[in-house]
Structures are given as C-alpha cells and as structure tokens.
Amino acid sequence: PRSAPTARGFPTAQAPGLIKLSWLVKLHWMAIVGQTALVVGVHLWVVPLPLRALLGLVALEAAVNLALSAWLARAESVSDAALAAVMLFDSLVLAALLHLSGGHFNPFSTLFLVHVALAAILLPARWSWAQLGFSLAAFGALFPLQDLAPFGVQEHEAMMTLHLQGMWVALALAAVLIVTIVQRVTRALGAREAELERARSL
C-alpha cells in the first residue's frame, strides 16, 4: 500500500517514478497559472496576441494535467518512458506557445533550458539527451515558421526593447525554477532513500 503523505505533504515511500510524476503535476499547475497570467497581461498591456489560440493551448495543458493527476492517484509505478513522454509534450506545447507569441524572438524560449535541466534530474541519460535534442529541434523550428506566425516581429526597435526586458524576466524565472526543482526533487528522493535504508536496517 502507498504510504500517507509526510508532514511536508510529500509521500516519500512512493516509488521514484511516482515522486517524479507528482512533482511534474505540481509544476504543471504552476506553469498553467503563470502562462495564463502572462498571456492575458501581455495582451492587455503590452501587445495584442492571438488570445483564443494561446488560452486554448493552456486549456489543453490543464486537461492533460487533470488526466495525469487521475493516473497518479491510482498508479503503482511510472516508467521513465512515460515521464519522458510527458516532458516532451511539455516542450511541444512550449514551442507552440512561442510560435503564437513572437516565435524565436520571444525571450521566454529560455524556458526550454528548464525542461532540459528537469530531464537531466529526473530521467536516465538516454531520455535526457532525447529531451535536449527535441528542445533544440523545437526551438530551431520556430525560425522557418516565423513567417507563418500570427504574431511576430513588427517594429524592430520597439520589439527589441520588449525582447531585452523580457530576457531579464525569463532568465530570472528559469533560474528560480531550476534551483527550486533541483533542491526539492533531490531532497524528496534523498528522503525516500533514507527511509528505505532505515527499513532495511530493521
């Protein structure tokens, strides 16, 4: 049977795959809230965006995360391949969001690094490299698709100002997410290993 959550709300006796998936689900909800606020804020106060399409992608993320939450509630284990598929889906959605909101010029392309860092923490080497390759390919695809984007570079000087301001925000966000993820996931997995060692010594 699966153990009850600890005082911090994290079930350390779960299998590693379940711990990792539970963190992905939590991070997804954070991302969904942040993306919604960012898209609406930029649309209202900075530059018009294809709001319906962008919020449709965020709604798709929410639906997938609800399905993952339901799976997590009844699953006994989660494979590395399943985790990798979830993370590749995340990168695909990020690429679509970027395509609809400036393409390769969007400074939040920095968030691909968060996906790569997360894969390096949670997945074996082959899946980490797959995530890296997919992220590079997804970002690279934004360049030839720029002319098809519903929103792109309009006035170069004005867009460059927005880009440079956005780069600072995006870099700060990526750095905070990477540090938070590394610290908390490492701590959670370490707590599980310590618990298993105590169980073996009894």
Side-chain angles (χ1 to χ4, degrees):
R2 289 155 50 131
S3 66
T6 65
R8 292 184 179 181
F10 205 94
T12 58
Q14 284 185 338
L18 293 174
I19 293 176
K20 295 172 184 178
L21 181 60
S22 64
W23 264 107
L24 284 178
V25 168
K26 291 177 184 178
L27 290 169
H28 284 167
W29 289 128
M30 293 169 57
I32 288 165
V33 171
Q35 289 165 357
T36 302
L38 186 62
V39 166
V40 173
V42 170
H43 178 74
L44 292 178
W45 294 297
V46 182
V47 63
L49 296 174
L51 195 61
R52 187 172 300 178
L54 287 166
L55 293 181
L57 281 171
V58 176
L60 173 62
E61 286 184 284
V64 169
N65 212 40
L66 286 172
L68 290 175
S69 299
W71 180 32
L72 183 63
R74 64 177 185 272
E76 295 297 326
S77 63
V78 177
S79 68
D80 290 328
L83 290 170
V86 171
M87 297 175 70
L88 291 173
F89 170 79
D90 293 342
S91 294
L92 183 62
V93 171
L94 175 60
L97 289 169
L98 293 172
H99 173 65
L100 294 171
S101 57
H104 65 276
F105 200 75
N106 190 319
F108 286 91
S109 58
T110 308
L111 295 178
F112 277 119
L113 292 177
V114 176
H115 293 188
V116 172
L118 189 57
I121 297 165
L122 300 182
L123 298 174
R126 66 181 183 279
W127 291 116
S128 299
W129 285 108
Q131 176 67 50
L132 172 60
F134 186 84
S135 295
L136 291 174
F139 181 61
L142 295 176
F143 287 80
L145 291 175
Q146 185 63 49
D147 291 339
L148 302 177
F151 167 76
V153 179
Q154 305 297 326
E155 298 178 11
H156 181 75
E157 185 175 347
M159 291 301 298
M160 182 57 71
T161 300
L162 289 176
H163 176 74
L164 293 175
Q165 293 170 347
M167 281 180 61
W168 188 91
V169 176
L171 178 62
L173 179 60
V176 168
L177 286 174
I178 289 171
V179 171
T180 300
I181 292 164
V182 170
Q183 291 291 323
R184 295 195 176 186
V185 173
T186 302
R187 191 180 304 129
L189 293 174
R192 177 185 180 275
E193 290 301 316
E195 184 172 319
L196 291 176
E197 285 298 323
R198 286 195 298 270
R200 292 189 191 103
S201 64
L202 294 178

